[in-house]
């Protein structure tokens, strides 16, 4: 089986070196906590402590969306730390049918703000379908964090 993506988060910049870290976990209510601990450890180990707060919020929301909406038993969190100071985080699942979208949450609603929050905190973000030949096999919600750039509006 070969896997390809429809689009990638960083298509215009070539990086000389990058460190990639992956966590595969069950799609359960406790996985957001595990993902926050994982991303905190990765960013601290790579001297990117200023990104930890925003990274934890964004990964929590992306993982919570998978747990709540995707019909899967597991998910993967991938963190790629680039030599230019950018960090790309992707949360993957194997349910290509249920795509996330930003909602207009009511003021009194307790849910519905996750992707909007990710878009505000991240330098860039998006959703990419994962493919096996011509068949979609999953999706990933990704976001880019940078210490040297303001978040997207």
């Amino acid at each position: 089986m070969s896997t390809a993506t429809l689009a990638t988060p960083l298509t215009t910049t070539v990086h000389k070196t990058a460190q990639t870290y992956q966590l595969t976990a069950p799609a359960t209510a406790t996985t957001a906590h595990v993902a926050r601990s994982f991303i905190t450890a990765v960013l601290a180990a790579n001297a990117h402590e200023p990104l930890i707060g925003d990274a934890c919020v964004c990964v929590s929301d992306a993982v919570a969306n998978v747990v709540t909406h995707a019909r899967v038993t597991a998910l993967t969190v991938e963190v790629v730390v680039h030599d230019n100071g950018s960090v790309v985080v992707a949360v993957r699942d194997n349910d290509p049918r249920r795509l996330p979208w930003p909602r207009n949450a009511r003021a009194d609603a307790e849910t519905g703000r996750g992707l909007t929050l990710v878009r505000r905190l991240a330098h860039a973000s998006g959703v990419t379908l994962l493919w096996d030949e011509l068949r979609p096999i999953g999706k990933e919600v990704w976001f880019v964090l940078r210490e040297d750039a303001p978040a997207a509006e």
Side-chain angles (χ1 to χ4, degrees):
M1 174 176 79
S2 61
T3 303
T5 59
L6 184 61
T8 58
L10 296 175
T11 57
T12 59
T13 306
V14 176
H15 302 284
K16 294 179 183 173
T17 60
Q19 298 293 323
T20 301
Y21 304 83
Q22 281 192 340
L23 167 73
T24 300
T28 64
T30 60
T31 302
H33 175 75
V34 174
R36 287 191 303 273
S37 297
F38 170 68
I39 202 163
T40 297
V42 168
L43 294 175
N46 286 279
H48 287 294
E49 287 88 353
L51 298 178
I52 290 174
D54 289 349
C56 285
V57 171
C58 292
V59 80
S60 288
D61 287 330
V63 167
N65 278 346
V66 172
V67 171
T68 303
H69 302 293
R71 295 184 176 132
V72 296
T73 59
L75 59 87
T76 300
V77 178
E78 180 178 87
V79 182
V80 181
V81 181
H82 293 276
D83 62 348
N84 70 348
S86 67
V87 177
V88 180
V89 180
V91 177
R92 295 187 184 114
D93 68 66
N94 294 328
D95 184 357
R97 297 174 312 269
R98 300 176 62 87
L99 297 176
W101 71 91
R103 297 180 187 174
N104 293 322
R106 293 188 334 244
D108 61 343
E110 294 183 17
T111 61
R113 293 179 184 83
L115 287 179
T116 301
L117 193 55
V118 169
R119 292 175 84 187
R120 289 187 187 241
L121 293 175
H123 177 70
S125 64
V127 178
T128 302
L129 283 176
L130 305 174
W131 297 80
D132 177 14
E133 302 290 334
L134 297 175
R135 184 175 62 91
I137 59 170
K139 64 185 171 298
E140 67 181 13
V141 172
W142 57 266
F143 55 91
V144 179
L145 299 172
R146 298 180 58 97
E147 290 182 47
D148 63 349
E153 285 295 323

